[in-house]
């Protein structure tokens, strides 16, 4: 076996390479559907997190995504400007703000849920219902609880 053949075999059997390809496909499909709602892949997880967790600080959002707080500020600013999220004074800190979904942002959440369900269904469609359930259970084992925010 040549080095080229072995390298190809390693890549094609690599869980990491397959996971990257799957994530790239998911991201492409999500981006197309989100664009119809005027959202991007950078904004989508922010509005989902705020919709799920309720009032949360920018620092907490960043911590849960393992990113510096400044790295999400532009997307948060855009979501505030679009009327989907709102910054409110924090009840116990003069420095922090609570980020909350506006009524418009809350009304958008069911559409986002539908997009996630559609994209997941398309990506998982080659699998039987039992295999879909099995891969979901296996992924839950691989993704640590603290990374599920």
């Amino acid at each position: 076996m040549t080095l080229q053949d072995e390298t190809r075999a390693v890549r094609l059997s690599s869980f990491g390479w397959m996971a990257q390809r799957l994530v790239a496909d998911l991201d492409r499909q999500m981006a197309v559907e989100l664009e119809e709602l005027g959202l991007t892949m950078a904004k989508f997880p922010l509005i989902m997190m705020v919709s799920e967790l309720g009032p949360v600080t920018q620092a907490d959002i960043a911590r849960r995504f393992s990113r510096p707080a400044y790295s999400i500020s532009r997307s948060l600013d855009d979501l505030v400007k679009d009327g989907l999220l709102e910054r409110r004074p924090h009840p116990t800190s003069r420095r922090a703000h609570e980020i909350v979904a506006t009524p418009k942002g809350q009304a958008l959440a069911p559409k986002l849920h539908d997009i996630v369900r559609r994209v997941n269904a398309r990506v998982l469609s080659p699998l039987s219902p039992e295999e879909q359930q099995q891969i979901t259970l296996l992924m839950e084992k691989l993704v640590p609880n603290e990374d599920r925010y």
Side-chain angles (χ1 to χ4, degrees), residues 49-50 53-61 64 97-100:
M49 179 182 283
V50 173
L53 299 178
V56 62
T57 66
Q58 181 173 330
D60 193 35
I61 293 170
R64 290 169 185 268
H97 290 88
E98 289 184 327
I99 311 296
V100 297

Side-chain angles (χ1 to χ4, degrees), residues 2 4 38 49 54 64 71 73 78 80 95-96 117 127-128 134 149:
T2 69
Q4 186 177 18
M49 179 182 283
R64 290 169 185 268
S71 72
S73 63
D78 289 345
V80 168
R95 291 183 180 185
R117 289 182 186 109
L127 304 176
S128 70
Q134 184 179 19
Y149 73 76

Side-chain angles (χ1 to χ4, degrees), residues 41-112:
M41 285 298 292
K43 297 174 187 176
F44 165 72
L46 299 177
I47 194 159
M48 288 290 285
M49 179 182 283
V50 173
S51 295
E52 178 182 346
L53 299 178
V56 62
T57 66
Q58 181 173 330
D60 193 35
I61 293 170
R63 181 184 57 75
R64 290 169 185 268
F65 284 129
S66 300
R67 295 171 48 191
Y70 68 83
S71 72
I72 61 167
S73 63
R74 182 168 293 153
S75 293
L76 279 176
D77 290 344
D78 289 345
L79 290 165
V80 168
K81 184 178 72 174
D82 294 341
L84 299 171
L85 297 181
E86 174 179 78
R87 286 185 174 96
R88 294 182 181 164
H90 193 278
T92 60
S93 172
R94 292 182 306 178
R95 291 183 180 185
H97 290 88
E98 289 184 327
I99 311 296
V100 297
T102 64
K104 182 179 174 183
Q106 292 170 1
L108 183 63
K111 294 176 184 176
L112 298 177

